[in-house]
Amino acid sequence: MAVEARPWDVKINSNWCKQCGLCVAFCPRGVLKLGDDGRPVVVDIARCTGCLLCEMHCPDFAIAVKRSE
Amino acid sequence: MGSDLTKYLRVEKLPHIWCAGCGHGIVTQAIVRAIDELGLDPAKVTIVSGIGCSSRAPGYMNFDTLHTTHGRAIAFATGVKLARPELKVIVITGDGDAAAIGGNHLIHAARRNIDLTVVCYNNSIYGMTSGQYSPVTPLGSFASTAPYGMVERPFDLCELVMGAGGTFVARSTTYHARHLTNVIKQAIQHKGFSFVDALSQCPTYFGRRNNMKDALAMLNWYKENAVSRDDWAKMPPAERGSKFPIGVFRDEEAPEYCETYRKVIEKAMEEVGAK
Amino acid sequence: MEESRSRLYQGNEACVEGAIAAGMRFFAGYPITPSTEIAELCSVRLPQVGGTFIQMEDEIASMAAVCGASLAGLKAMTATSGPGFSLKQENIGFAAEAEIPCVIVNVQRVGPSTGMPTSPAQGDLMQARWGRHGDQEIVVLSPAYVDEVYSLTIEAFNIAEELRTPVILLMDEVVGHLREKVTLPKPGDLVIKDRKKPVPGSRYLPYAPGEGEDGDVPPLAAFGDGFRFHVTGLTHGPDGFPTNSPSVGEPQIKRINSKISSRREKLCKAEELFTEDADILVVSFGSSARSAKKAVKDLRAVGVKVGLLRLITLWPFPEHVIQRIAAGKLKAVIVPEMNLGQLAREVRRCLDGRAPVIGVNRVAGKLIEPADVIRAVQEVK
């Protein structure tokens, strides 16, 4: 019985984010995309595997990847 | 970073001053993550920095923090550590701060093998003063003071520190963020002098002058040119070109300065007591 | 039978013993004549009292280590001479800006530059005050006798701890190498001051002025006490974080100056001899003042109304004492010093033309002798 993996939650702190685009570039699953205003947006959370590559490469401490409650 | 890690930051001081895409935030996060994963008591961690972009990091980090004079962080940190050896003292410095004006303190602290962890945010440029070359700027690359290309042969900081007797020496890059966190963890755990050469991109000054138009281009350069230590050893020099080794180059034990001096104190007090 | 408390100490030795008595438990230094005995004796004595000595790679590092150790909670000291004193200036400035208690001993030798390493001079008087960039005040004390080296070193630490400031003990090679008797105080008699500490658990602002007479000196926590505070050489606000705002920065810059200048009279230490009825005043300090005292005594013995003012606190400069003595209409003020007139310049500034100021100056290592002072006094019309 495959345990249904709890889905991931990706929160972006837009006050701290300087729109460098690295998170989008590092996400291997296309979860994040740059919005028209250049800000990263979560577009497909279901594909997130919780690998933390976006969080770890964010120079602004602005991404938090968590198991959603 | 989630709240489990932002508790180590002075969130009221954010956003930070570093340029968009600068790697220094990535290295700072790696240090904070390392501290968290090691479960260190934040009240017993002191972070000391010099002057430059790197050295603004402690202002954002929720520990006892000391932002000193240019090049002298390691000397200040030596005083902190000797006065209170039970503290975990981490030095944040830049390539200019550590190896140009601070070179004398870097090599002597390594020679003494005093228990300090030095993380060098190495962007191969003086960022704070907007783009002058540093002692590690590669030959031929451009800087505001090397308009015709760098003419000085750069240091290899890891070789320099190993030559001075450093007992833990490693390098990683902001591209290899998880690896960078791991080597910082090992450095913090190491008893004695530990040095991490953390390559960190400076798109604003180094990148722009050296045709790497943004942070991603610089990180890709790290990805293309970083080679594991073992592959590097097997690589014939002719093939090395702009490549460089990452990994742990030295991890050995030697008498730690504070512990050795502790014995001096015990011996001296014994002799005085005996009299 | 109570054990004798008199000792025969070299000046440099009295400095170390005084520092240890004051609670100094960290010394970082670098060999330089004529101060090296201080480092050597610290390397022997400090471990005996549970303290730490380190010989750093240069004087800049020594001053840096002293600041670090003090911020980690220890009373810390360094000692040097001219060339090293010049190298330490930036980090002394950091200690002034970050308000770090510490003591810097400068055993002066002939300058400029390498000069005469084994010969005495007093040519660092102005550097002690103005050696750092930017506006900051500092306390500078100058002993002339070995027993005074002992007591002034304790005083230097007490001031440093009380005002959260670097204090410079300005000696010269003569006082440093001279051996004289010192009578150690009874253990109970020593007044030792320690820095104010913040209340544990309170929200700690490391640079916030408080109430009361000493409100302008904030408490100082130690690294490792759990306050997790920030110290920087950048202009900062009460919370210790950097600021570029004039309205936040100005009070901080002014406070690190006024906390010393406003206590000029309290900090002032001087020795006066026959100044009540003097019409000629001799003003001097350090080993030059010893010769001046002999000259004044000899002249008084033959009826000359001359007085001596020996300055022990050099900075903040005791203007009020000079102006008080000069109020009695002085014919002249004689200033013997082993430099080309650095003290005389300050005395002239204070007198503002009320009396001529005549220097007695030697620069190349030869001591000022009583005869030099006597001749100068006799030449006054």
Side-chain angles (χ1 to χ4, degrees):
Chain A
M1 196 274 280
V3 172
E4 174 49 46
R6 272 188 296 109
W8 291 91
D9 182 18
V10 175
K11 272 213 235 39
I12 295 172
N13 180 329
S14 54
N15 296 329
W16 295 354
C17 165
K18 299 189 179 190
Q19 296 130 48
C20 69
L22 286 180
C23 55
V24 174
F26 272 88
C27 176
R29 305 274 291 172
V31 174
L32 296 161
K33 278 287 172 286
L34 286 185
D36 325 338
D37 59 3
R39 286 185 184 289
V41 181
V42 175
V43 292
D44 195 346
I45 190 65
R47 289 179 54 78
C48 176
T49 64
C51 71
L52 290 183
L53 280 176
C54 61
E55 175 170 332
M56 295 189 75
H57 286 95
C58 172
D60 307 327
F61 319 128
I63 298 179
V65 179
K66 281 269 157 314
R67 286 258 181 224
S68 42
E69 269 64 53
Chain B
M1 286 162 77
S3 55
D4 55 337
L5 286 183
T6 53
K7 68 183 181 198
Y8 298 106
L9 298 180
R10 290 168 166 145
V11 292
E12 69 286 0
K13 299 296 172 190
L14 295 174
H16 54 57
I17 62 158
W18 296 313
C19 306
C22 164
H24 287 3
I26 300 172
V27 185
T28 304
Q29 179 182 149
I31 294 173
V32 165
R33 195 180 294 277
I35 289 171
D36 180 62
E37 289 178 5
L38 290 171
L40 300 184
D41 173 1
K44 297 299 178 192
V45 172
T46 297
I47 302 184
V48 185
S49 68
I51 294 293
C53 297
S54 67
S55 295
R56 282 307 201 92
Y60 306 117
M61 299 167 83
N62 189 15
F63 303 94
D64 285 321
T65 51
L66 174 56
H67 179 211
T68 70
T69 46
H70 192 32
R72 319 302 176 186
I74 289 175
F76 276 82
T78 298
V80 174
K81 182 67 181 179
L82 278 168
R84 247 181 136 159
E86 75 275 18
L87 296 182
K88 176 57 69 179
V89 181
I90 297 170
V91 174
I92 290 178
T93 180
D95 42 302
D97 189 65
I101 186 169
N104 201 25
H105 314 304
L106 175 64
I107 57 175
H108 286 277
R111 172 181 61 80
R112 291 192 188 100
N113 197 38
I114 183 164
D115 186 24
L116 296 177
T117 297
V118 176
V119 181
C120 179
Y121 289 33
N122 181 353
N123 55 10
S124 302
I125 201 87
Y126 280 84
M128 183 64 83
T129 42
S130 62
Q132 299 74 33
Y133 69 84
S134 87
V136 297
T137 304
L139 255 180
S141 52
F142 296 94
S144 65
T145 44
Y148 305 101
M150 175 67 160
V151 294
E152 298 173 21
R153 294 166 59 236
F155 280 139
D156 175 323
L157 294 183
C158 291
E159 295 291 336
L160 176 68
V161 174
M162 283 192 278
T167 49
F168 182 93
V169 178
R171 172 181 296 123
S172 186
T173 87
T174 43
Y175 177 83
H176 308 83
R178 183 63 240 180
H179 175 262
L180 173 61
T181 306
N182 293 345
V183 295
I184 289 173
K185 271 171 76 171
Q186 284 179 264
I188 291 174
Q189 286 175 298
H190 175 76
K191 197 176 68 185
F193 187 81
S194 53
F195 179 82
V196 175
D197 184 14
L199 269 58
S200 168
Q201 76 277 7
C202 172
T204 301
Y205 294 111
F206 190 88
R208 197 152 40 110
R209 283 207 171 79
N210 293 284
N211 52 54
M212 283 186 271
K213 63 179 176 45
D214 59 25
L216 187 56
M218 296 191 75
L219 287 172
N220 278 326
W221 189 86
Y222 288 154
K223 176 182 146 196
E224 302 305 331
N225 288 276
V227 175
S228 80
R229 191 199 54 183
D230 300 339
D231 292 348
W232 174 263
K234 288 186 284 222
M235 189 181 281
E239 270 177 44
R240 289 178 175 172
S242 58
K243 295 198 182 328
F244 58 89
I246 63 173
V248 177
F249 305 121
R250 179 184 291 170
D251 183 1
E252 58 190 40
E253 291 305 316
E256 194 278 323
Y257 191 88
C258 297
E259 283 183 4
T260 310
Y261 197 81
R262 185 71 233 146
K263 299 195 189 89
V264 165
I265 292 174
E266 279 148 18
K267 181 163 171 285
M269 293 182 85
E270 221 173 82
E271 282 170 9
V272 165
K275 241 186 254 136
Chain C
M1 207 278 278
E2 195 204 336
E3 197 222 307
S4 153
R5 285 182 288 103
S6 52
R7 300 285 183 279
L8 180 65
Y9 281 155
Q10 184 194 57
N12 284 344
E13 184 178 12
C15 177
V16 173
E17 293 307 325
I20 288 174
M24 183 272 287
R25 290 298 178 271
F26 183 88
F27 179 91
Y30 188 82
I32 182 167
T33 303
S35 72
T36 313
E37 294 85 358
I38 294 175
E40 289 171 336
L41 289 163
C42 280
S43 73
V44 173
R45 291 283 288 121
L46 274 172
Q48 293 173 345
V49 293
T52 298
F53 161 86
I54 183 167
Q55 180 176 301
M56 294 294 281
E57 51 273 19
D58 55 43
E59 284 95 345
I60 300 168
S62 301
M63 192 59 221
V66 159
C67 290
S70 183
L71 287 168
L74 295 187
K75 291 186 181 182
M77 176 168 103
T78 186
T80 189
S81 185
F85 192 51
S86 294
L87 288 174
K88 290 178 195 281
Q89 292 303 320
E90 185 188 5
N91 284 340
I92 293 171
F94 183 88
E97 172 71 358
E99 299 182 78
I100 302 171
C102 57
V103 171
I104 303 100
V105 183
N106 177 11
V107 188
Q108 296 168 94
R109 75 196 206 177
V110 172
S113 187
T114 313
M116 296 179 177
T118 59
S119 299
Q122 297 174 307
D124 307 350
L125 172 65
M126 284 297 180
Q127 182 180 23
R129 170 67 185 85
W130 301 105
R132 275 87 42 207
H133 58 281
D135 284 293
Q136 6 90 38
E137 291 257 351
I138 204 158
V139 178
V140 180
L141 308 176
S142 183
Y145 303 89
V146 171
D147 59 3
E148 202 175 42
V149 173
Y150 184 89
S151 58
L152 271 189
T153 301
I154 294 171
E155 184 65 18
F157 272 100
N158 284 345
I159 293 169
E161 292 288 312
E162 219 177 353
L163 300 185
R164 254 187 86 174
T165 178
V167 173
I168 295 171
L169 192 69
L170 197 64
M171 294 164 61
D172 58 68
E173 183 277 329
V174 168
V175 176
H177 283 160
L178 200 55
R179 278 182 173 75
E180 287 178 325
K181 190 180 116 176
V182 176
T183 306
L184 301 179
K186 292 198 194 69
D189 297 353
L190 269 179
V191 173
I192 302 297
K193 299 266 176 57
D194 292 308
R195 60 196 70 171
K196 272 187 290 188
K197 291 251 176 191
V199 174
S202 65
R203 181 168 183 272
Y204 177 48
L205 295 175
Y207 295 93
E211 282 72 36
E213 200 222 335
D214 289 337
D216 55 351
V217 182
L220 177 60
F223 289 158
D225 283 357
F227 287 96
R228 293 160 82 167
F229 63 108
H230 187 60
V231 174
T232 180
L234 285 168
T235 305
H236 43 269
D239 60 5
F241 288 95
T243 181
N244 279 317
S245 138
S247 61
V248 176
E250 184 164 329
Q252 182 258 328
I253 295 171
K254 287 193 167 170
R255 182 174 55 76
I256 61 168
N257 282 276
S258 60
K259 77 178 177 181
I260 290 170
S261 56
S262 65
R263 291 178 168 82
R264 182 155 41 82
E265 301 196 6
K266 187 168 164 257
L267 290 165
C268 172
K269 293 172 84 69
E271 180 190 0
E272 292 185 40
L273 200 59
F274 315 129
T275 54
E276 325 72 43
D277 66 340
D279 53 26
I280 295 175
L281 178 68
V282 179
V283 181
S284 190
F285 70 105
S287 51
S288 301
R290 300 171 70 121
S291 302
K293 185 183 278 187
K294 171 74 169 111
V296 164
K297 283 181 177 170
D298 291 356
L299 287 163
R300 271 283 168 171
V302 294
V304 179
K305 285 167 70 190
V306 62
L308 170 72
L309 170 63
R310 176 171 73 92
L311 301 181
I312 300 168
T313 304
L314 292 172
W315 305 101
F317 196 75
E319 294 149 15
H320 56 293
V321 176
I322 290 181
Q323 278 148 4
R324 168 173 50 83
I325 300 170
K329 210 55 206 94
L330 289 172
K331 274 198 294 187
V333 176
I334 312 285
V335 182
E337 52 189 324
M338 288 188 283
N339 61 53
L340 289 176
Q342 295 181 32
L343 175 58
R345 169 190 287 266
E346 277 299 297
V347 173
R348 263 184 215 101
R349 180 178 65 81
C350 297
L351 291 173
D352 198 19
R354 269 174 300 194
V357 175
I358 300 144
V360 177
N361 309 96
R362 288 193 181 284
V363 287
K366 194 165 172 302
L367 283 174
I368 288 182
E369 294 168 18
D372 303 328
V373 180
I374 290 169
R375 198 175 316 112
V377 169
Q378 287 164 340
E379 282 161 9
V380 171
K381 291 297 160 294

